[in-house]
Amino acid sequence: MDLGNLKLFKMALTQMDWAAQRQKVLSQNIANADTPGYQPHDLKKLDFKNVLQSETAPVKVTRSNPKHLKGTIPEQEAFRADGVRKTFEASPDGNKVIIEEQMQKVGSTRGDYNTAVTLMQAHMRMLKMATGSGGG
């Protein structure tokens, strides 16, 4: 069984790959914190909404009995994205790397990676239990 064909695993692997690449970029930013004129770089945030929409067909709400109430989908306004904060600090030599900001991004990326690993491990245990090959 190729786990790469399962959408959940493909999404988790994509998240892990993105996190690994982002850590490389952030470590380059930190390594160049004293380089005159260096501009920090970052990767575009991985948008799982687009990944999910491209990977799965939309699910329609249906009623199995005419007496059931019609289902509704809640509005997504509560999850509006905030604007991206621009870095305005720069050293006299033109370097715009702020170590504290880069370290915060490193920690956040590590958390994203660990979440993807935990998700994969949990689903591996469920697959093992479902196939009767252990997991308990």
Side-chain angles (χ1 to χ4, degrees):
M1 175 180 199
D2 183 14
L3 295 178
N5 291 335
L6 298 174
K7 293 187 184 0
L8 174 73
F9 288 100
K10 188 183 289 186
M11 288 173 41
L13 287 171
T14 301
Q15 175 71 25
M16 291 167 60
D17 288 342
W18 176 85
Q21 291 300 317
R22 188 175 193 217
Q23 291 292 49
K24 287 180 185 178
V25 171
L26 296 175
S27 65
Q28 289 174 350
N29 290 345
I30 293 168
N32 287 295
D34 293 329
T35 304
Y38 185 82
Q39 302 290 319
H41 303 284
D42 201 351
L43 294 183
K44 182 179 172 185
K45 186 75 176 158
L46 193 59
D47 187 8
F48 275 109
K49 182 176 181 182
N50 290 339
V51 173
L52 284 174
Q53 287 176 345
S54 67
E55 293 286 332
T56 60
V59 177
K60 303 286 184 190
V61 178
T62 61
R63 293 186 288 176
S64 59
N65 186 318
K67 294 180 182 178
H68 291 164
L69 296 175
K70 182 178 175 184
T72 60
I73 298 175
E75 293 294 322
Q76 297 296 323
E77 284 235 7
F79 302 108
R80 267 190 323 222
D82 291 332
V84 177
R85 184 179 141 284
K86 299 285 184 192
T87 302
F88 296 104
E89 295 181 32
S91 64
D93 63 4
N95 187 306
K96 293 189 177 180
V97 175
I98 301 170
I99 295 292
E100 293 82 5
E101 185 179 85
Q102 298 301 311
M103 294 304 293
Q104 184 274 330
K105 289 179 181 180
V106 166
S108 173
T109 304
R110 180 180 179 195
D112 292 343
Y113 184 88
N114 288 342
T115 300
V117 169
T118 302
L119 184 66
M120 283 188 69
Q121 289 172 339
H123 282 80
M124 283 296 295
R125 283 192 300 272
M126 285 194 294
L127 282 174
K128 286 180 180 179
M129 286 180 10
T131 59
S133 61

